[in-house]
Amino acid sequence: MSTFESKPILCCTPGCGKSANLRCPTCIKLEITTGSNFCSQECFKQYWIVHKLFHKAKDEYNPWPGFKFTGTLRPYPVTEKRLVPEQILRPDYADHPQGHPLSEIAERGSTVVKVLDDEEIEGLRVACKLARECLDEVAQAANIGVTTDELDRIVHEAAIDRECYPSPLNYYQFPKSVCTSVNEVICHGIPDKRPLQNGDLCNVDVTVYHRGFHGDLNETLFIGEVDEKSKLLTKVTHEALMKAIEIVKPGVRFREIGNVIQKHVTPFGFSVVRSYCGHGIHRLFHTAPNIPHYANNKAVGVAKAGNSFTIEPMISEGSWRDEHWPDNWTAVTVDGKRSAQFEHTLLVTETGCEILTKRPTNNGQPWFMDSI
């Protein structure tokens, strides 16, 4: 162990909470910048069985020499793409060599928002229920020392067990079955061998395809003991989603949703990511309408009973702007500060909307609220 001079930070051993003035020497050598601080040799030894996993996973992995990262998160090795049994019904992009969703591409540019009939509504409702079950399984497993690759395995197997195809897999060649976005990652994080660390935020974005319909949702999870600002960011992000859902009913303009979200988050000093939006969803993974989450947007159209779409605000501590890692998927905040996100799939009804991906227990509250 070696001493270092820095502003006071806390020991990374779960449950300790004391100021740390020691740093793991192996972490220094491997240039691991987070989760390496301890208050004493005793805490270091107590946490060693978990902490050493960070060294093993790092193992000098550097796929993009010279790339300038915006924050402290680094990529870790990615395992092989998981296989889906042939008998599972799959979307058109699943076996396309470039992962192109041809049915979506054929509809590109159209602003016509599909009105689902009763049979389609039931198909969508079932897919959303199964997606929620998959997310609930992974939410229970997400903890210190668990890799995001392990979370991918859990979602993949949970989907297969329910006769679902994990929708992200091979979508424009996305290599995994779920998106896991940690800390400064806004969205589309690729699961890898990095163990989750005490204090991480981890968003898990689950979509499954069941008998012709996609169901889509995501939640931001707390890993161990999360700092107060991250708790506030997560809480405000979820509140913004729910306030936006409250206004959804026939006749509401899609552009109004972003006004509600930005009005809620701005007083806290947070910003709304503009590069990504909610989307129509049913037989197609992504389709009309587009649902921007920021104010004064130019979204076209009004909600009608039978429309189905997601609202999924991404809220950042600092700038709303994003950059991409060289994997062409991982979107990160430009300033390296944290971002949080929540998502539901909605069905517009005659009097309002139904949250098809609502958690069936704990009064529908998201998982992070179980720990506060």
Side-chain angles (χ1 to χ4, degrees), residues 227-255:
D227 66 77
E228 292 302 318
K229 189 169 185 179
S230 294
K231 289 179 180 178
L232 180 63
L233 173 67
T234 305
K235 177 176 177 288
V236 168
T237 302
H238 180 253
E239 290 172 348
L241 169 62
M242 300 311 293
K243 286 181 178 294
I245 289 173
E246 287 175 2
I247 74 164
V248 176
K249 62 181 180 179
V252 167
R253 296 181 183 275
F254 296 128
R255 69 181 64 170

Side-chain angles (χ1 to χ4, degrees), residues 7 22 42 96 143 177 220 234 236 315 335 354-355:
K7 62 181 180 180
L22 301 175
E42 288 71 24
H96 191 280
N143 209 336
S177 298
T220 296
T234 305
V236 168
I315 309 302
D335 52 14
E354 179 182 352
I355 303 174

Side-chain angles (χ1 to χ4, degrees), residues 74-95:
R74 295 293 183 270
Y76 280 65
V78 177
T79 60
E80 293 295 318
K81 184 169 69 174
R82 303 183 195 279
L83 301 178
V84 177
E86 289 297 327
Q87 66 268 24
I88 300 290
L89 184 66
R90 58 197 66 211
D92 59 359
Y93 57 82
D95 298 316

Side-chain angles (χ1 to χ4, degrees), residues 186-207:
I186 297 169
C187 60
H188 303 157
I190 297 174
D192 60 23
K193 298 295 289 183
R194 176 188 182 271
L196 292 169
Q197 300 183 13
N198 187 42
D200 281 347
L201 293 182
C202 180
N203 179 273
V204 179
D205 193 339
V206 174
T207 313

Side-chain angles (χ1 to χ4, degrees), residues 89-150:
L89 184 66
R90 58 197 66 211
D92 59 359
Y93 57 82
D95 298 316
H96 191 280
Q98 285 80 45
H100 290 170
L102 300 180
S103 53
E104 284 185 18
I105 293 171
E107 297 290 328
R108 187 171 294 166
S110 173
T111 58
V112 176
V113 182
K114 184 177 178 61
V115 175
L116 304 186
D117 60 30
D118 289 346
E119 184 176 347
E120 291 171 321
I121 288 172
E122 183 58 26
L124 178 64
R125 181 176 282 115
V126 171
C128 288
K129 174 180 179 292
L130 297 175
R132 163 51 71 178
E133 291 177 4
C134 293
L135 187 142
D136 287 348
E137 283 203 22
V138 79
Q140 295 177 74
N143 209 336
I144 299 167
V146 177
T147 66
T148 50
D149 182 71
E150 173 66 5

Side-chain angles (χ1 to χ4, degrees), residues 230-364:
S230 294
K231 289 179 180 178
L232 180 63
L233 173 67
T234 305
K235 177 176 177 288
V236 168
T237 302
H238 180 253
E239 290 172 348
L241 169 62
M242 300 311 293
K243 286 181 178 294
I245 289 173
E246 287 175 2
I247 74 164
V248 176
K249 62 181 180 179
V252 167
R253 296 181 183 275
F254 296 128
R255 69 181 64 170
E256 291 298 322
I257 292 170
N259 295 339
V260 172
I261 292 169
Q262 186 154 335
K263 180 180 179 180
H264 182 68
V265 306
T266 298
F268 295 93
F270 300 144
S271 63
V272 182
V273 175
R274 300 188 176 198
S275 301
Y276 306 94
C277 61
H279 53 88
I281 185 170
H282 37 71
R283 294 186 184 275
L284 303 180
F285 192 176
H286 299 92
T287 186
N290 287 333
I291 310 292
H293 303 115
Y294 56 92
N296 302 317
N297 63 77
K298 306 298 183 182
V300 175
V302 298
K304 298 178 182 178
N307 291 164
S308 55
F309 53 87
T310 71
I311 302 178
E312 46 186 295
M314 289 142 275
I315 309 302
S316 296
E317 284 182 340
S319 172
W320 59 265
R321 299 182 185 276
D322 66 285
E323 292 186 3
H324 280 88
W325 282 4
D327 60 20
N328 296 320
W329 279 106
T330 306
V332 296
T333 57
V334 72
D335 52 14
K337 295 184 178 181
R338 291 187 168 191
S339 190
Q341 183 185 18
F342 289 88
E343 174 185 22
H344 276 307
T345 294
L346 309 175
L347 173 70
V348 182
T349 65
E350 295 293 342
T351 58
C353 74
E354 179 182 352
I355 303 174
L356 300 181
T357 46
K358 185 177 181 179
R359 187 179 176 190
T361 59
N362 294 55
N363 296 317

